[in-house]
Structure formats: C-alpha cells, structure tokens
Amino acid sequence: EASGITHTPTLATMAAHSEFTEGLIKSGTMILLSEIGDKTFFIAAIMAMRHPRGTIFAAALGALGVMTALSAALGSAAPNLVSKDITHYIATGLFFFFGLRSVYDATIAWKGGESELAEVEAELGGGLAGNGKDDKNKKAAKGGKMKGWRSVLNGVVSPVFLETFTITFLAEWGDRSQIATIGLAASSDPYGVTLGGILGHAVCTGAAVLGGRHMASRISERAVALCGGVLFLLFGAHSLVSGVDA
C-alpha cells in the first residue's frame, strides 16, 4: 500500500551526509586549534579594546567568512582543473608539511621570542592605531588616494568596520589555515568545510572580542602550535589511509 511505503536513504545520500559532516568537523577543529592565539585572533582582541565589540566581531567574522568561502570554492574547483588523484595527494602533502613544520617550530626550533600578541600590538600601534607625527604624515599622504573610496564606503559601513575587515582579511591571506581550508575542500565536502570554518572562526573571534588579551596571558603559544601540528598530521594520515574517493 502507498501509505505503508517507507523511504530509506540511498548510499549516495548517506555518503554525501558523511562527507559533509566530516568536512564540517575537520574544518571547525582545525580552525579552533590553529586560530586561537593567531594574528587575526589578537587583531580582534586589540581592536575590541578600542572600539565597540559588536562592530569588531561583525567585521572580523565577515572577513574570515569571506576568506573561508573563497578558499573552499578554490579547493572545490581544484579537482576540475587537476586530476582528483593529484589534488588528493597535494592536499595530503600540505597537511603533513604544515603539521611537521608546526611541531618543529614548537619543539626543536622553539626559542620563545616575541609573542604573537606583542607583534600584533606593535603593528597596530605603529601603522594603524598610533597617534604620533609619523602616523599623521602617513595618513595625510594616503588621504588623497583613499578619500574617494572612503567617502563612498563610509556611507555604507563605519570606518572602524571597514578598517577591521581589511586588516583581518589581509592578515589571513596566505595563512596556513587558509591553505589548509583549500586542501580540506579539495578532499571533503566544500559546504561542510565552509560551515565548519565559519563556526570555528565565530568561536575564536567571539573569544577574542570578549577576553582575548586575558586569554593570551594564560594560553601557551607553544602548546597551541604543537596541538595544531599534531592535528594537521592526523588529517594527513587519515587522508593517506582513506585514499581517493571514488
């Protein structure tokens, strides 16, 4: 009878759901372990101490969300440009490379040195948030070129939003998490990777805006780098063992 018919999920549907979940979990975990204590984390933390937290959170997350979507789209398109086998093993190689480099930096090559927080504070204080004569001269020099664009954009979004969005986007460009997102999207469901990445960034950015500076004094950058490196190695091992999807 028609009323007694039950619809069971096909193998293709189950596989699609599995890939989506895998991409979401991998991407979200990777972002959580690689972005806590990273440059974009401290940019949000420092900017939130000077400007409204809601504005900083929206701008930083917007920039990171756009970057995540672009990276996932690039990774998703890669198998159409290069064979799936080559794409898979390139992504696997990238996971091992970033994993080994992070572990090496956190163990053998670790020298302490200037923290990420101090580096970001110096950059923001020297080039973006300073009040000295040099900063005023730089702003005046750039004013003529940027005046037209700023006058247009300022009518849509606040200058603080625009500045935070731009700084965060440029800081994330070429970062290992961006490259890893491309690799994940090339071997996993790009929608799951995108959603997982954005959720991970939302958690990290929210933590940074609410109390990033306080967290920085209690988080070991070395431990975070080591955990991130181990995670990348696990991703690489899983990708190597699972092989190329049919």
Side-chain angles (χ1 to χ4, degrees):
E1 296 178 356
S3 59
I5 295 177
T6 59
H7 297 281
T8 57
T10 64
L11 290 177
T13 302
M14 294 175 65
H17 288 167
S18 176
E19 287 186 7
F20 178 88
T21 304
E22 178 184 324
L24 186 148
I25 294 174
K26 279 187 174 182
S27 180
T29 307
M30 180 269 294
I31 292 298
L32 287 173
L33 286 180
S34 62
E35 291 298 306
I36 290 289
D38 194 48
K39 181 173 289 188
T40 53
F41 178 88
F42 290 124
I43 287 174
I46 294 171
M47 294 296 284
M49 290 188 291
R50 303 170 179 172
H51 305 288
R53 290 177 176 178
T55 301
I56 301 304
F57 177 80
L61 183 58
L64 294 170
V66 170
M67 181 65 74
T68 300
L70 290 175
S71 301
L74 182 59
S76 178
N80 297 322
L81 304 175
V82 185
S83 75
K84 200 167 186 179
D85 288 355
I86 294 177
T87 303
H88 174 82
Y89 288 114
I90 287 177
T92 302
L94 285 173
F95 291 142
F96 279 116
F97 172 76
F98 285 124
L100 291 172
R101 194 179 83 169
S102 294
V103 171
Y104 175 79
D105 289 342
T107 54
I108 299 174
W110 183 261
K111 297 179 181 178
E114 186 179 32
S115 68
E116 194 79 44
L117 174 60
E119 182 182 340
V120 172
E121 282 185 322
E123 291 180 2
L124 290 178
L128 296 165
N131 294 316
K133 292 182 179 179
D134 291 339
D135 295 314
K136 291 180 180 179
N137 291 335
K138 289 178 182 178
K139 289 179 180 178
K142 293 179 180 179
K145 297 180 181 179
M146 300 298 295
K147 186 176 181 180
W149 281 106
R150 285 177 181 248
S151 61
V152 173
L153 293 174
N154 286 349
V156 180
V157 295
S158 71
V160 172
F161 182 99
L162 182 60
E163 182 180 36
T164 304
F165 185 99
T166 304
I167 296 169
T168 304
F169 187 89
L170 294 178
E172 185 69 8
W173 185 265
D175 188 70
R176 65 178 180 176
S177 61
Q178 185 208 8
I179 307 301
T181 300
I182 295 174
L184 280 175
S187 57
S188 302
D189 184 272
Y191 297 104
V193 171
T194 302
L195 180 59
I198 292 175
L199 291 175
H201 280 304
V203 173
C204 293
T205 304
V209 167
L210 292 175
R213 191 180 185 88
H214 179 71
M215 288 179 61
S217 64
R218 300 178 181 275
I219 293 177
S220 168
E221 290 185 22
R222 188 176 188 179
V224 171
L226 185 60
C227 289
V230 171
L231 181 68
F232 278 120
L233 291 176
L234 290 175
F235 284 172
H238 177 267
S239 180
L240 193 62
V241 170
S242 63
V244 183
D245 295 332

